């Protein structure tokens, strides 16, 4: 029985490490996916919570994040060139 509990704890720990970020401190963090033109942040409650993650992603391409829309628990941003 202890073996199964240990396996469960290790599985939960490793699944939380697989996420790109964890702004709420829960078991499941946020997933950041995108390219130089856009970024999608999954598992967020609103666009303001996702903004720092979007800015971090877009800044890799010398761009700024501009909110586009929410789709359920996903915030979608456009990565815009700085003028």
């Amino acid at each position: 029985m202890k073996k199964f509990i240990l396996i469960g704890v290790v599985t939960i720990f490793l699944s939380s490490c697989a996420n790109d970020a964890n702004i709420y401190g829960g078991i499941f963090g946020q997933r950041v996916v995108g390219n130089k033109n856009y970024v999608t942040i999954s598992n967020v409650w609103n666009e303001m919570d996702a903004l720092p993650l979007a800015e971090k992603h877009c800044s890799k391409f010398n761009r700024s994040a501009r909110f586009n829309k929410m789709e359920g628990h996903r915030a979608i941003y456009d990565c815009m060139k700085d003028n």
Side-chain angles (χ1 to χ4, degrees), residues 16-23 28-36 38-44 49-61 65 73-77 79:
S16 66
C17 292
N19 295 309
D20 295 333
N22 194 339
I23 60 176
F28 301 104
Q30 289 62 49
R31 184 97 175 131
V32 180
V33 178
N35 57 33
K36 70 177 185 171
Y38 79 96
V39 61
T40 301
I41 315 295
S42 300
N43 194 26
V44 291
D49 289 348
L51 181 59
L53 299 174
E55 283 289 350
K56 182 177 178 181
H57 172 84
C58 293
S59 70
K60 294 177 188 175
F61 306 100
H73 291 284
R74 292 185 304 158
I76 301 169
Y77 293 82
C79 293

